[in-house]
Amino acid sequence: MSVVARNLTWGLKRKTIVRDVSLDVAPGETLGLIGPNGSGKSSLLRLLAGLRRPVSGRVEINGQDIAQVSRKALSRQVAFVQQSASTDTNVTVADVVRLGRTPHRSALSGWSRADEASVAEALDRVEMTSHSKQPWQTLSGGERQRVHIARALAQAPRVMFLDEPTNHLDIHHQIEILRMVRDLDLTSVIALHDLNLAAMFCDRIVVLRQGAVCACGTPQAVLTRDTLRDVFRVSAQIDGAADTGRPHIRFSAG
């Protein structure tokens, strides 16, 4: 499914956080959102996912204005994975993933074989089947992120939005999770703070500064020394990875 945003603006009180943002995401594409802290990445992601309503502008998913779609119907198409989530409730991994089936069930419907199959498939896709009966509280950070993604997959979405899904994880789990997301047959938009990970796993990148788009294109076109200096206020050397040709950033110490 495609995602199109046109002239999105949103803010709190007198502060504008997202400023006149327009972008297009092609079906099956992985789009990265990068920018300094406070640049509006998380807010834009929530606007695209329909979790916030813009002050002005619109979002279309597969040509349909999401403002005209019910929350439940939108949840059958769109999944949102937040940075982290915790609970004190005594639940298992399977219990958490089962929550993803909520948009597909009515208040009176029982748990079906189709629901169970969706949960099993989601756990398998994130390689967490063997952990299905394990208590949530005993999981590592990387395992919890996999379960968050499995819950999103159980929704059977066509579009997935992820807000810094690698935050606080070690580099092994960061790469593991982003590779898994990239390989899913979905349209995905990912807010990231690690520029090298964005270069490695995103088809295109949008750079935000003070809530507005200041650059958009392939990693090679966007991640330049000038952009890093002007937007992130850092000096860096940009090299091309030998195997992929994608940029690799080495930051200067001074």
Side-chain angles (χ1 to χ4, degrees), residues 29 31 198-199 202-207 215-224 246-247:
E29 184 177 28
L31 181 77
C202 297
D203 298 310
R204 287 188 304 130
I205 294 173
V206 168
V207 183
C216 179
T218 64
Q220 293 91 329
V222 166
L223 296 175
T224 65
R246 289 174 178 255

Side-chain angles (χ1 to χ4, degrees), residues 1-4 23-27 29-31 48 187-189 204:
M1 283 187 167
S2 62
V3 179
V4 175
L23 56 82
D24 296 78
V25 192
E29 184 177 28
T30 298
L31 181 77
L48 295 174
T187 304
S188 56
V189 182
R204 287 188 304 130

Side-chain angles (χ1 to χ4, degrees), residues 22-81:
S22 296
L23 56 82
D24 296 78
V25 192
E29 184 177 28
T30 298
L31 181 77
L33 301 179
I34 65 172
N37 289 341
S39 60
K41 299 187 298 294
S42 295
S43 296
L44 175 57
L45 206 62
R46 283 163 171 76
L47 290 168
L48 295 174
L51 299 177
R52 289 177 177 159
R53 289 191 177 275
V55 173
S56 61
R58 71 182 190 278
V59 177
E60 295 180 359
I61 293 181
N62 215 34
Q64 188 171 22
D65 187 340
I66 64 172
Q68 308 302 318
V69 180
S70 71
R71 177 72 60 147
K72 188 168 186 177
L74 186 62
S75 295
R76 295 188 188 118
Q77 303 178 56
V78 170
F80 186 90
V81 179

Side-chain angles (χ1 to χ4, degrees), residues 101 111-120 154:
R101 296 303 299 163
W111 190 255
S112 69
R113 290 184 179 179
D115 291 324
E116 196 60 41
S118 294
V119 170

